[in-house]
Amino acid sequence: MDRRHFLSGLTTLACSAAAHPLTTTVTFAADDSGQTLGEHRLVVIILRGALDGLDLLRPRFDPDLTRWRPDLAGRGVSLSDGYDLNPNLAALPDLWHRQELAFVQATSTPYRQARSHFVGQDILEAGSGLDVPDLALRDGWLNRFLQAFPGLGSETAYAIGGQMALMQGPAPVRNWSPGLRLDVSASLQRLLDHVAHDDPLFREATTTALTLTKDLGPLRMAEREAGNEVAAAINLADFAAGRLRGASRIAAFSLAGWDTHRGQAAAIRAPMRQLEQMILRLKTGLGAEIWGKTVVMAITEFGRMVQQNGSGGTDHGTGGTALLAGGALRGGKVFGPWPGLSEADLYDRRDLMPTSDVRLWAAWALRGLYGIDRGVIESKVFPGLEMGTDPGLLRG
Amino acid sequence: MFDPTLAAFRFGFGLPLPQEAPQSQAQMLAALDQPDAMAQSFTGPTTAVLAPLRAEAQKAERDTRRTRDSANRAEAKAAAELWRKLSRDLAKSGAQAAKSMLARAVETPDGLRERLVWFWANHFSTTAPDRRTLAVPMTLIDEAIRPHLTAPFAQMLTAATLHPAMLDYLDQSRSIGPHSRRGSRNAKGLNENLARELLELHTMGAGSGYAQTDVQELAELLTGLTTGPGGMEFDPDRAEPGAERVLGRTYGSDAPADLGPIRAFLADIATRPETARFVTGKLAVHFLGPTLGTKAAPDLARVWVATGGNLKAVVTALIQSPHAWTAGAENIRRPAEFLVAACRALGLSGAQVARMGDGPFQRLLLQPMEKMGQPFGGPPGPDGWTEDPAYWITPQGMTTRILWATLVPGRLVQPLPDPATVMARALGPRASAALIWAVPRADSPRQAVGLIFAAPEFNRR
C-alpha cells in the first residue's frame, strides 16, 4: 500500500501557525547568513516496502539459510567472511574493497506489533523508541537533528521527490521533485514574477521554483522514456548530488518497490538496480573530495520473514539490514551481531531476531559527521535512545 | 457590513456567487437551517454499504492468499477473481466519494455550510487505511459531521468519536482493558491513541491542563468501543471494569459496562472552557486568518460557554463579528479549495464534476490535488491539514499550482472562456492592478488563465 503520498506530513499545528503566520517562509536569503553544518554530507534513503535484508546481504556461512529459502539463497557476489551480495548489485563490491560500503545486519526499529508498512515507516521516520506510533512526536528525526542547530539555512536539508515524514517539523527544509519542471516561456515567467511581486510568500516560492527549474537544465532523454525507473533513480541521485555540492548538507529520498511477496528473485531486480545506480551516481556526482565526507544510509521499515513463502517471495518480518556507503565510512565490514537462523534463534520463531536498534547507527553517523552532543541525540533526536559505545562507523 | 466578495472568499469557495446565494449575514445563517441539498444531490458513501464491503474484501483477500498455492485451481481462481472484483468496487467508492465532495463544493450556493463541513472534517481528521478505502473518511464526514453542523458540539463530538472510521484510525478498535475478560485472557492491553487525541486535538488542546493520568483513565473508559462488519460495536468483554476518574470526575461504576459513561464524559468535555477556547480559536483562525481570528475568538469562546457549545450560536457569533467583515486574506486556499474555486470560475457545474469519467477526474483534479500537497483520503496525521501558509506555498507547491493553472483549465472547459471573463468571475473587485496589467499581455488565453489562477489574490482567502 502506498500511504506515502507525494507531499505528506505537517509542519505546524494551526494554533502555532496562528501565532507566527509568515515567519517560516523559506527564503534563499536565509541560506547565506547564520550557522552551517560544516562540510560533511548525509544522504538517507528510505527503502519503502520492507527490503529483504537476507537477500540483499546473503549470510551464506549460515547453514540454515538454504534450508529456509532454497530459491533465494544462491550465489551472489562474494564479499568476505561468507557474505554474498545480491547479484543485482554487481557494481558495488568495488566500494566494499575501498571500505566505502558497509552493512548493519539484524537491525530494526523498536516496532514489533503488526508488521504494517505504514506504521513501520512512521516509526522509522519519527525515530521514536516505542513499538507503536508516538503521536506526541510529530516531527521526523532528521528535522529534530536540524532543530539542534538554530539558524541553519533552509537549503541545508532537502527532501527530494516529495515531502518525507523523516524531514518534517519546525526546522526549515526544502522539498523538490527533480521530475517537476516549470517549463514556461520567458514571457510568462516575467508575468508570473510581476503578478506575485507584491506578496513575499508567493514571490519567493515562484522565484525559487523558476530558479530550480533553470538549474536543472533541459530534460534528459532518459527521463522521457516512460517507466524507466532506473533513469528516475539516476535523476534523483543527480539532483541530490547537485544540491549537496552546493549549500545543502543533508538529503533524503525514498526508494519503493521492496514489498516482494511473490517471485522475489525477479521482483527485487528493479529496486536493487535503482539502489545500485543511486549510490554510484551519488559518488560520481559528488566528486572524490565531497564523497570522502559523505555517508549514505539506506534503511527500511522492517525485514522480511526468514522462510520464503509459497510464491517464491517473502512476507513481512522483523530484523532487517541497513546499507551504508560513502567515503567517510570505515566500511568493508558488516556491523551488528549475527543472531543465527536456527528456529530457536528467530523472533517469534519466524523472523530474523533484531540485535540492534537501527536508530543507533543513525545516531552515531550524526555524531561522527556533525559532532552533535550525545546528550542532545539521546534526549531530542532519538528520545530515550542509549547510544552505548562508539561502533566505529566512520574513519577517524 | 455584509460584503458579498468577502463572504465568497472567507466563508465560501469564492466567486462567482450564484443567483440564490445569501445576500446578508442573516441569510447566510438561515441557509444553514435548510435541508442539506448538496448531500442529497451528490451522494457519498455510507458505513452501511462500505463496512460490509470492506469485510467481504478482507475475507476475499485472505481466501486468495490461503488458496493461492492450493491444488484446487478452480477454488484459487474464484477467490482471486472475487478479491479483484471487490477491490474494484472499493476503488470505485473512493472515486465516487471524491467526486461528490468536490461536486458539492462546486455547485453549492450555500458556501458556508460546505466550508463548515470541511473545517470540521479537518478537525476530526481520519485517513484512509489504504488506497482501496479512500471513501472511509468521507463516511465519517457525512454521518457524524454534516448532520450536526448547528447542533450542540457534544453531538458532533460523540458521533465522530463513536464513528467506526475514527475507532479504526486511532486504534480504539485494538484497545483492550487490561483487566477486562479479554485482556486478562490474552495479556493484551490498552491503546491510548484515541484518548490522547480526543483531549489534545478534538477538545481541550495540548497543554490545556490535563495530565497523563487523565489520558490513561480516559483510555480505560473508552475500552469496549470497537468495530465490526456492521460498524461501531460495544464489546463489554474488552471494557475495563470499574469506574474511571477523568479530569476530576468519575465515570462508570462496577455495573456491567455500556456506552453510557462514555457519552456522559463526551457531553461534559464538550462544554468545558478549555474546549471552548481551543476549538473556537481554530475556527476563527480558519475562517478569518490569524490576525482577525485571534481578535474574534474570545467572543466565540464566551458564546460557546454560555450556550453549552451550541454550534449554531457560535457560527452566528462568528458571522456577526465585526472582525469577520474587516478586509484581509492571510490564509491560503488549500489545494482542494483552489481546485473548487477554479472550477467555479471556469463555469463548471457540480453535475459536470460528478459526471467526469474516472480517468479524466483522476488526471485533471485528484492527482493534481495530491501533487499540490493534499491527497484525497486524508491528511498524514490526526491533526489534519495545517493552516500555515508556508506549508502550502513552497516552491514545489507553487509549481504544481502554476502547472495546473496553465495546463488543465483548457482541458476542463472547451473552448476556454475569454481570460477577461475568467478574471472577473474568479476575482471580481479583488483583481490586483498587477494582474489586470499582466493578463492582456500573456501570449495566449491559456497562459492568461494560468496567471489568474496563479495570482496571490486567487490563492488567498
Side-chain angles (χ1 to χ4, degrees):
Chain A
M1 87 185 172
D2 174 20
R3 299 220 350 197
R4 289 286 147 205
H5 296 302
F6 178 85
L7 280 156
S8 62
L10 52 120
T11 47
T12 39
L13 290 172
C15 50
S16 56
H20 311 282
L22 292 169
T23 46
T24 51
T25 308
V26 167
T27 65
F28 269 126
D31 302 342
D32 303 317
S33 62
Q35 203 174 345
T36 66
L37 275 183
E39 286 307 307
H40 282 99
R41 270 73 164 178
L42 174 66
V43 179
V44 180
I45 308 175
I46 304 281
L47 305 173
R48 298 194 190 276
L51 156 74
D52 184 19
L54 293 175
D55 196 354
L56 171 75
L57 182 69
R58 300 178 180 177
R60 287 177 46 86
F61 58 83
D62 195 311
D64 286 319
L65 184 71
T66 45
R67 192 168 63 78
W68 289 117
R69 33 174 73 204
D71 301 326
L72 297 171
R75 287 232 60 123
V77 190
S78 192
L79 294 176
S80 41
D81 306 323
Y83 289 99
D84 274 18
L85 192 58
N86 185 286
N88 295 297
L89 298 175
L92 291 191
D94 178 52
L95 296 185
W96 174 268
H97 298 304
R98 293 165 180 272
Q99 301 191 356
E100 293 174 3
L101 181 69
F103 298 89
V104 182
Q105 64 189 2
T107 193
S108 80
T109 69
Y111 179 47
R112 297 287 181 277
Q113 268 204 335
R115 301 180 178 92
S116 138
H117 292 301
F118 179 46
V119 177
Q121 290 174 25
D122 269 2
I123 288 172
L124 177 69
E125 295 183 78
S128 70
L130 306 177
D131 78 337
V132 292
D134 181 351
L135 289 152
L137 224 53
R138 293 179 187 281
D139 39 16
W141 59 262
L142 258 183
N143 196 281
R144 287 197 301 278
F145 166 76
L146 294 166
Q147 290 165 34
F149 300 85
L152 286 177
S154 62
E155 214 188 344
T156 304
Y158 254 93
I160 302 171
Q163 290 195 24
M164 298 173 72
L166 176 71
M167 279 263 198
Q168 305 262 295
V173 296
R174 282 282 175 85
N175 296 285
W176 189 257
S177 304
L180 191 66
R181 271 151 212 280
L182 196 49
D183 273 331
V184 295
S185 65
S187 60
L188 181 57
Q189 216 172 100
R190 271 197 311 278
L191 294 174
L192 283 168
D193 271 341
H194 181 75
V195 165
H197 184 269
D198 289 341
D199 189 318
L201 180 66
F202 283 78
R203 183 176 65 229
E204 277 154 20
T206 308
T207 314
T208 308
L210 292 168
T211 315
L212 278 168
T213 300
K214 211 181 306 165
D215 281 2
L216 291 167
L219 229 63
R220 230 196 318 280
M221 278 311 288
E223 198 181 352
R224 292 193 181 154
E225 291 169 27
N228 190 335
E229 288 159 334
V230 172
I234 287 175
N235 281 336
L236 215 65
D238 285 357
F239 179 79
R243 296 293 114 194
L244 291 167
R245 280 198 311 271
S248 303
R249 292 296 173 267
I250 294 179
F253 45 86
S254 307
L255 177 55
W258 302 100
D259 197 16
T260 47
H261 284 283
R262 52 174 53 218
Q264 178 166 312
I268 212 164
R269 206 172 288 145
M272 284 286 182
R273 286 275 297 145
Q274 287 173 280
L275 180 61
E276 176 194 60
Q277 289 305 310
M278 275 178 170
I279 292 166
L280 296 178
R281 294 296 289 214
L282 279 170
K283 177 170 176 166
T284 35
L286 289 171
E289 193 191 333
I290 298 178
W291 178 251
K293 295 171 182 149
T294 297
V295 168
V296 181
M297 290 192 78
I299 51 181
T300 194
E301 63 261 38
F302 41 72
R304 304 188 75 84
M305 253 181 91
V306 169
Q307 183 168 26
Q308 71 179 59
N309 65 20
S311 321
T314 51
D315 295 322
H316 300 180
T318 307
T321 304
L323 178 151
L324 308 173
L329 212 59
R330 190 195 298 276
K333 60 187 281 194
V334 177
F335 291 91
W338 176 246
L341 288 178
S342 79
E343 196 171 341
D345 295 331
L346 303 184
Y347 176 75
D348 255 4
R349 304 187 87 79
R350 48 167 276 166
D351 298 344
L352 189 64
M353 178 69 79
T355 58
S356 71
D357 186 328
V358 68
R359 297 175 301 155
L360 196 72
W361 309 96
W364 281 106
L366 291 173
R367 168 132 182 82
L369 291 172
Y370 304 108
I372 179 174
D373 198 57
R374 196 179 157 136
V376 176
I377 298 182
E378 293 177 337
S379 63
K380 295 282 187 318
V381 181
F382 296 116
L385 181 71
E386 283 181 29
M387 289 175 67
T389 51
D390 187 349
L393 277 182
L394 306 189
R395 289 178 207 261
Chain B
M1 207 57 259
F2 182 77
D3 170 344
T5 305
L6 205 63
F9 274 81
R10 205 167 262 176
F11 299 111
F13 290 92
L15 298 170
L17 287 174
Q19 289 284 304
E20 58 281 35
Q23 302 295 321
S24 67
Q25 283 99 326
Q27 286 181 15
M28 287 172 75
L29 293 164
L32 293 177
D33 297 327
Q34 298 301 309
D36 187 348
M38 286 303 117
Q40 288 157 18
S41 302
F42 305 104
T43 53
T46 60
T47 299
V49 173
L50 208 55
L53 181 59
R54 287 183 63 201
E56 244 186 294
Q58 277 160 9
K59 180 178 178 302
E61 180 174 4
R62 279 194 305 275
D63 289 346
T64 305
R65 290 193 191 288
R66 182 175 52 75
T67 57
R68 69 183 170 193
D69 302 314
S70 94
N72 186 343
R73 297 320 296 158
E75 185 195 20
K77 191 159 168 257
E81 260 168 28
L82 180 63
W83 184 28
R84 266 199 300 279
K85 181 199 170 295
L86 294 169
S87 297
R88 267 198 309 274
D89 291 349
L90 277 172
K92 262 203 127 36
S93 73
Q96 163 74 21
K99 282 181 194 169
S100 287
M101 181 193 79
L102 294 177
R104 290 170 184 174
V106 167
E107 183 69 24
T108 186
D110 174 16
L112 178 59
R113 180 197 298 263
E114 226 51 46
R115 284 284 308 281
L116 283 169
V117 169
W118 287 29
F119 169 79
W120 290 114
N122 198 53
H123 185 75
F124 291 108
S125 272
T126 63
T127 304
D130 59 55
R131 290 216 167 234
R132 281 179 296 151
T133 50
L134 291 178
V136 170
M138 196 156 158
T139 59
L140 185 149
I141 296 171
D142 275 12
E143 291 160 7
I145 290 172
R146 291 192 86 95
H148 302 301
L149 287 182
T150 54
F153 179 64
Q155 285 185 19
M156 188 192 285
L157 176 67
T158 304
T161 306
L162 302 185
H163 195 276
M166 185 64 80
L167 296 173
D168 282 340
Y169 177 54
L170 291 181
D171 301 322
Q172 188 58 40
S173 44
R174 291 195 195 175
S175 185
I176 294 169
H179 304 99
S180 67
R181 274 191 287 276
R182 283 195 54 176
S184 30
R185 212 163 49 226
N186 300 340
K188 290 211 169 173
L190 216 53
N191 188 312
E192 292 181 357
N193 203 352
L194 177 63
R196 185 176 303 282
E197 301 308 2
L198 205 159
L199 294 171
E200 181 178 331
L201 298 174
H202 300 160
T203 57
M204 294 171 64
S208 58
Y210 57 86
Q212 170 59 29
T213 50
D214 293 314
V215 174
Q216 187 170 337
E217 291 278 304
L218 176 55
E220 289 177 9
L221 177 63
L222 294 175
T223 51
L225 284 173
T226 185
T227 56
M232 187 270 278
E233 289 176 5
F234 188 85
D235 176 6
D237 283 356
R238 295 166 175 247
E240 183 70 0
E244 278 85 22
R245 200 163 169 78
V246 192
L247 298 162
R249 290 196 197 178
T250 303
Y251 298 93
S253 64
D254 289 331
D258 61 22
L259 279 174
I262 297 174
R263 290 185 185 278
F265 167 79
L266 293 170
D268 282 349
I269 198 164
T271 55
R272 284 184 72 101
E274 299 93 334
T275 302
R277 263 197 303 278
F278 177 66
V279 181
T280 55
K282 252 181 99 172
L283 182 80
V285 167
H286 174 77
F287 282 97
L288 309 185
T291 308
L292 295 167
T294 310
K295 289 182 188 161
D299 272 341
L300 306 195
R302 269 191 293 278
V303 170
W304 185 296
V305 170
T307 62
N310 183 309
L311 294 181
K312 180 69 190 290
V314 171
V315 172
T316 303
L318 171 70
I319 298 298
Q320 288 176 345
S321 165
H323 304 294
W325 304 96
T326 306
E330 287 179 304
N331 284 343
I332 298 295
R333 280 178 168 163
R334 292 177 191 149
E337 296 169 45
F338 167 89
L339 293 171
V340 168
C343 288
R344 289 170 75 108
L346 291 167
L348 249 69
S349 69
Q352 281 173 297
V353 172
R355 273 201 312 267
M356 280 172 83
D358 282 348
F361 179 71
Q362 291 285 341
R363 277 196 309 280
L364 302 180
L365 294 176
L366 223 49
Q367 285 166 10
M369 191 167 116
E370 177 167 347
K371 290 195 171 173
M372 292 174 200
Q374 197 184 14
F376 180 77
D383 44 354
W385 301 112
T386 176
E387 214 72 71
D388 182 6
Y391 178 84
W392 301 106
I393 303 304
T394 59
Q396 175 146 353
M398 201 58 221
T399 300
T400 48
R401 287 185 192 224
I402 294 172
L403 287 174
W404 190 91
T406 50
L407 298 175
V408 177
R411 297 171 63 187
L412 278 174
V413 189
Q414 282 117 7
L416 191 63
D418 166 56
T421 310
V422 174
M423 180 159 65
R425 286 174 62 90
L427 293 164
R430 286 216 170 178
S432 65
L435 185 65
I436 292 168
W437 181 87
V439 163
R441 285 169 176 77
D443 290 345
S444 65
R446 187 174 68 77
Q447 296 198 354
V449 169
L451 283 172
I452 296 162
F453 293 149
E457 61 265 40
F458 182 78
N459 287 272
R460 287 191 183 274
R461 59 160 160 82

